[in-house]
């Protein structure tokens, strides 16, 4: 609206502009509240799903309704007293508090899944340097918690099992680890910007504690994250960053190593008969028809975005870190398998799954930052359609899970 000097005086013009701004702000607030409601619906759906998973009767043949790892995790803790993850102590406590029922565990997992949406919004805002949160940043975060591999039946018969995904609803330790790992990675990025001038004792303790908790839940994040952090610190050493600063920052990972030693003794001790073997493509090829194409379909959107924004990798440290971490996570999942009773479980996939989760996030930000020129505009639309395909596959999978489908669904 144009304020004409003939029609309105300056005071009326300012008043009208303020009213229009207020209406605009009210609309933004209403849109964000609407997205909050969608997140709450997602959280309630997760609660429904996790509770039914926790009480599901697993058949010997598999593929039973609400099939997941959760009943086995609860049984190992409550009945067998087998503690290999920090979640075991939380599950035991909640099981007792809820009178031998599993609702408390379901609430914990649903809370973790919902909180991950909001932490993802912070992560997206940090990566995209967005000055404020709005309805779109929250909607993007919610969508990033739902995207799944592009499903092509000729490539892989099963929507999840034949591919690799950052969004997983059948493994409780991954659900908890992913939340803490996302907070840890965000904390690392913030501290990395300032550690050369020095970090406080409190900041060091917080970062150390996050790594301990994350590793204690599941060590998968640390084995993909720590080598890349080490490489970045080594590069800084060659750039003449004071050795004292590097050692202080890097030492925050050392206590997590003690946690891994404990987990290694529980999972791979001499009495277990388990070990680690080098066997490339073994896990990836078990359920995929065209293995290499299934790997591509799992991250199709990300592959195209990285290819389109390759020039930004040397300039943007967080982007480069996530891509390198994903490459390492992929190589670990590709080459390493467990020997013994868990040889077909694919437990080295969990680190790669988290890497895919954050790779989709940074690639979504890079996609939205593409320019408006003709060629970039066409690329932007094409990538948007590709992202929508990933999102549709994820929504279809999640809705069917809540209706009782097995994670083996086609």
């Amino acid at each position: 609206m144009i304020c004409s000097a003939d029609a309105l005086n300056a005071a009326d013009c300012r008043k009208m502009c303020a009213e229009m701004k207020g209406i605009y702000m009210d609309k933004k607030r209403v849109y964000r509240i609407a997205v909050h409601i969608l997140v709450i619906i997602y959280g309630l759906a997760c609660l429904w799903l996790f509770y039914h998973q926790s009480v599901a009767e697993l058949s010997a043949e598999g593929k039973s309704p609400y099939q997941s790892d959760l009943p086995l995790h609860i049984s190992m803790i409550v009945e067998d007293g087998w503690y290999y993850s920090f979640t075991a102590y939380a599950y035991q406590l909640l099981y007792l508090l809820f009178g031998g029922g599993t609702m408390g565990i379901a609430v914990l997992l649903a809370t973790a899944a919902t909180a991950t949406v909001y932490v993802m919004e912070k992560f997206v805002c940090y990566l995209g340097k967005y000055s404020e949160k709005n309805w779109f940043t929250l909607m993007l975060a919610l969508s990033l918690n739902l995207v799944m591999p592009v499903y092509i039946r000729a490539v892989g018969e099963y929507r999840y099992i034949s591919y690799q995904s950052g969004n997983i609803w059948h493994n409780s330790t991954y659900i908890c680890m992913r939340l803490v790992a996302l907070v840890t990675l965000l904390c690392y990025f913030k501290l990395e910007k300032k550690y050369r001038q020095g970090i406080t004792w409190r900041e060091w303790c917080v970062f150390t504690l996050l790594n301990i908790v994350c590793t204690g839940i599941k060590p998968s994040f640390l084995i993909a994250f720590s080598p890349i952090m080490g490489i970045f610190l080594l590069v800084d050493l060659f750039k003449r960053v004071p050795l004292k600063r590097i050692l202080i920052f890097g030492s925050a990972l050392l206590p997590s190593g003690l946690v891994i030693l404990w987990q290694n003794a529980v999972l791979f001790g001499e009495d277990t008969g388990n070990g680690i073997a080098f066997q490339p493509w073994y896990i990836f090829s078990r359920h995929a028809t065209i293995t290499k194409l299934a790997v591509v379909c799992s991250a199709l959107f990300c592959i195209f975005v990285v290819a389109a924004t390759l020039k930004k990798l040397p300039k943007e440290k967080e982007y480069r870190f996530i891509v390198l971490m994903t490459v390492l996570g992929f190589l670990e999942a590709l080459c390493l398998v467990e020997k013994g009773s868990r040889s077909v479980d694919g437990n080295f996939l969990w680190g790669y799954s988290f890497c895919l989760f954050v790779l989709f996030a940074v690639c979504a930000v890079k996609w939205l930052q593409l320019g408006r020129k003709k060629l970039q505009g066409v690329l932007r639309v094409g990538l948007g359609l590709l992202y929508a395909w990933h999102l549709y596959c994820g929504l279809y999978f999640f809705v069917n899970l809540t209706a009782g489908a097995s994670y083996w669904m086609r």
Side-chain angles (χ1 to χ4, degrees):
M1 181 179 291
I2 300 174
C3 296
S4 170
D6 296 332
L8 300 167
N9 59 37
D12 289 337
C13 185
R14 285 195 296 271
K15 182 179 178 181
M16 187 172 292
C17 289
E19 289 175 351
M20 293 179 66
K21 184 177 180 181
I23 293 170
Y24 176 68
M25 294 301 292
D26 286 342
K27 283 185 177 179
K28 287 175 66 177
R29 196 174 295 114
V30 168
Y31 292 157
R32 185 163 173 84
I33 290 171
V35 183
H36 278 303
I37 292 171
L38 288 178
V39 176
I40 291 170
I41 292 171
Y42 169 71
L44 292 174
C46 286
L47 178 60
W48 169 275
L49 173 63
F50 297 142
Y51 175 71
H52 281 83
Q53 286 180 347
S54 69
V55 296
E57 293 290 337
L58 302 184
S59 65
E61 297 79 16
K63 304 179 182 61
S64 57
Y66 293 106
Q67 181 182 4
S68 77
D69 296 342
L70 186 54
L72 297 176
H73 288 171
I74 295 172
S75 174
M76 285 189 298
I77 297 156
V78 174
E79 297 176 12
D80 303 332
W82 196 56
Y83 295 83
Y84 74 98
S85 166
F86 287 173
T87 55
Y89 300 97
Y91 290 1
Q92 183 71 272
L93 177 62
L94 289 169
Y95 190 80
L96 293 173
L97 288 176
F98 281 76
T102 58
M103 178 55 80
I105 296 171
V107 169
L108 172 65
L109 296 176
T111 302
T114 307
T116 303
V117 176
Y118 288 102
V119 177
M120 175 54 83
E121 185 187 22
K122 286 188 176 183
F123 194 70
V124 165
C125 288
Y126 177 83
L127 293 175
K129 297 179 174 59
Y130 301 133
S131 57
E132 65 176 17
K133 300 173 186 176
N134 54 50
W135 71 269
F136 182 77
T137 58
L138 186 55
M139 181 63 83
L140 179 62
L142 178 58
S143 72
L144 286 166
N145 279 264
L146 289 165
V147 289
M148 289 278 288
V150 165
Y151 176 66
I152 302 173
R153 187 153 189 167
V155 173
E157 183 180 2
Y158 303 103
R159 289 180 175 270
Y160 163 67
I161 293 295
S162 299
Y163 302 85
Q164 301 84 49
S165 176
N167 288 313
I168 295 160
W169 295 276
H170 75 276
N171 186 276
S172 63
T173 50
Y174 176 79
I175 292 164
C176 295
M177 181 211 76
R178 186 177 65 167
L179 171 60
V180 183
L182 193 58
V183 176
T184 305
L185 189 58
L186 185 57
C187 180
Y188 164 74
F189 284 151
K190 291 180 177 179
L191 293 181
E192 201 280 334
K193 288 185 178 297
K194 61 177 295 187
Y195 91 92
R196 295 163 190 81
Q197 290 73 46
I199 57 176
T200 66
W201 171 247
R202 180 178 177 277
E203 289 170 332
W204 185 90
C205 287
V206 168
F207 185 51
T208 301
L209 184 61
L210 283 171
N211 277 284
I212 290 172
V213 173
C214 188
T215 305
I217 295 171
K218 214 175 186 69
S220 312
F221 168 71
L222 190 73
I223 61 176
F225 167 76
S226 57
I228 305 302
M229 179 179 170
I231 290 171
F232 274 59
L233 290 176
L234 185 60
V235 170
D236 281 350
L237 182 62
F238 285 113
K239 290 182 178 178
R240 304 193 177 216
V241 174
L243 179 61
K244 179 182 175 182
R245 303 292 190 202
I246 292 174
L247 291 177
I248 290 174
F249 194 28
S251 66
L253 299 183
L254 293 178
S256 303
L258 299 177
V259 177
I260 284 188
L261 290 177
W262 160 64
Q263 289 171 325
N264 183 70
V266 174
L267 296 172
F268 300 105
E270 292 182 5
D271 297 336
T272 65
N274 297 319
I276 300 173
F278 181 81
Q279 203 166 345
W281 293 107
Y282 173 71
I283 292 296
F284 283 0
S285 63
R286 280 185 55 79
H287 302 291
T289 308
I290 309 175
T291 305
K292 294 178 177 63
L293 197 52
V295 171
V296 172
C297 287
S298 299
L300 195 57
F301 169 76
C302 300
I303 291 168
F304 277 101
V305 171
V306 171
T309 59
L310 208 54
K311 291 182 180 179
K312 293 185 178 182
L313 274 178
K315 303 173 186 176
E316 301 182 15
K317 186 168 287 186
E318 290 92 350
Y319 188 21
R320 187 166 68 251
F321 189 99
I322 291 172
V323 170
L324 288 174
M325 190 172 73
T326 304
V327 170
L328 178 60
F330 169 73
L331 291 174
E332 290 171 350
L334 174 73
C335 298
L336 300 179
V337 297
E338 290 179 280
K339 295 187 297 182
S341 60
R342 299 190 301 272
S343 61
V344 298
D345 289 355
N347 284 323
F348 283 100
L349 284 169
W350 302 120
Y352 180 48
S353 291
F354 176 77
C355 292
L356 284 175
F357 183 58
V358 292
L359 182 66
F360 265 93
V362 73
C363 287
V365 169
K366 296 307 167 194
W367 159 53
L368 293 171
Q369 290 175 344
L370 287 173
R372 303 277 180 181
K373 293 180 181 178
K374 187 174 181 180
L375 184 59
Q376 286 188 318
V378 172
L379 182 61
R380 190 186 179 105
V381 171
L383 289 171
L385 292 173
L386 197 52
Y387 186 83
W389 192 4
H390 279 281
L391 182 57
Y392 166 75
C393 292
L395 280 167
Y396 184 90
F397 183 77
F398 179 71
V399 168
N400 278 276
L401 279 185
T402 59
S406 163
Y407 64 84
W408 286 82
M409 68 174 285
R410 294 178 172 85

